[in-house]
Amino acid sequence: MRAVVRKARPSDRSELMKFIRGIWGGHDYIPQVWDDWLGDRKGSMFVVEVGGVPVGMNRFRILEDGSAWFEGVRVHPKYRGQGLASLLGENSMRLARAKGVKTFRLTSGSRNHTAHRQIARMKFKEASRISVYEAPKRRLEGDPTVRRAEGGDEKKLVRLIRGTKEFKMGSGVFWDGFAAASLTPGVIGGLVREGAVWHSGKGVAVTRVGGEGGEQWRQVCFAGGPLADSSRVVRHALSLEGKVRPRRRLVYLAQGSPIIGDLRRRAFTRMGSLILFERSAAKG
């Protein structure tokens, strides 16, 4: 079997969707994001061909911390177990290295053991686990003690965020649209200037509007600090109403955070668990 990896083209869609539409009981998100991914200059999407026919795909993009994020790996059931996912992954890692990337990351659902074995073959290691919770449909009340961080707060917020146990338990990342980037001092400073950081007492949260395939949601990308303070900041962040009014409100939390128990008591619903995998870009 001769397999060839190349850049994705618009004409690949119909052949790939023949099998992708049946994944996850017809709920795979790839059909909704294909056009966006194809036109996204910040990312690169690839297909693997066998006999001139596309039978698999993947994508990588460079995140704001300079890491490479790998996603969207799909292989036709007939061709699984033949090394095509690894071929796609090795191609993306090679190209990311050429861009000077030092760290590779990806995620997988905690129950997707088949994917975990493939990820291990590519020498990725589990870094941390997070749980994703959705807020109840009812309106959440804001809190006047919570305020948006401003430019002069950058140094304080760097110390605050990086000093929380959630930062340590969650591998020091924040989640945006199911991708994770490091909360480096530079990234935190950028988030503060963006107006994405909220705090009260020693509690802190990063919030953004995320989206995929035409769907948008308000998301708490990171939260940490003492329970009373952090819970108050999370609920305030989700109460915000801007120009965009997403239907869903999500919270990404490092597993083991006491904030999780508080959200459960407040009728937040657990959507699932994700494992963050990571490896150095160094060869070997």
Side-chain angles (χ1 to χ4, degrees), residues 96-115:
R97 284 191 192 99
K99 293 177 180 289
V101 170
K102 304 299 183 186
T103 302
F104 301 152
R105 293 193 183 101
L106 56 84
T107 191
S108 176
S110 60
R111 297 182 179 181
N112 193 347
H113 303 297
T114 301

Side-chain angles (χ1 to χ4, degrees), residues 143-236:
D143 190 301
T145 70
V146 179
R147 73 180 188 90
R148 189 195 301 266
E150 300 175 347
D153 298 326
E154 287 183 25
K155 290 184 178 179
K156 172 187 173 181
L157 268 298
V158 167
R159 292 192 300 270
L160 187 60
I161 289 173
R162 292 171 67 89
T164 64
K165 60 180 162 184
E166 283 81 9
F167 178 87
K168 298 176 180 65
M169 291 188 298
S171 302
V173 303
F174 76 104
W175 291 78
D176 184 3
F178 295 94
S182 294
L183 284 163
T184 64
V187 167
I188 293 171
L191 291 167
V192 170
R193 294 189 293 274
E194 180 186 318
V197 182
W198 296 80
H199 62 108
S200 177
K202 293 186 177 181
V204 61
V206 174
T207 181
R208 275 178 168 170
V209 173
E212 207 166 51
E215 182 183 6
Q216 290 188 315
W217 54 79
R218 184 170 295 284
Q219 54 187 1
V220 171
C221 312
F222 171 87
L227 179 57
D229 294 342
S230 56
S231 175
R232 185 165 60 246
V233 178
V234 167
R235 286 180 280 117
H236 179 86

Side-chain angles (χ1 to χ4, degrees), residues 11 61 93 103 106 113 167 226 228 258 268-269 283:
S11 58
R61 51 188 165 127
M93 288 193 287
T103 302
L106 56 84
H113 303 297
F167 178 87
F268 280 62
T269 305
K283 294 182 179 180

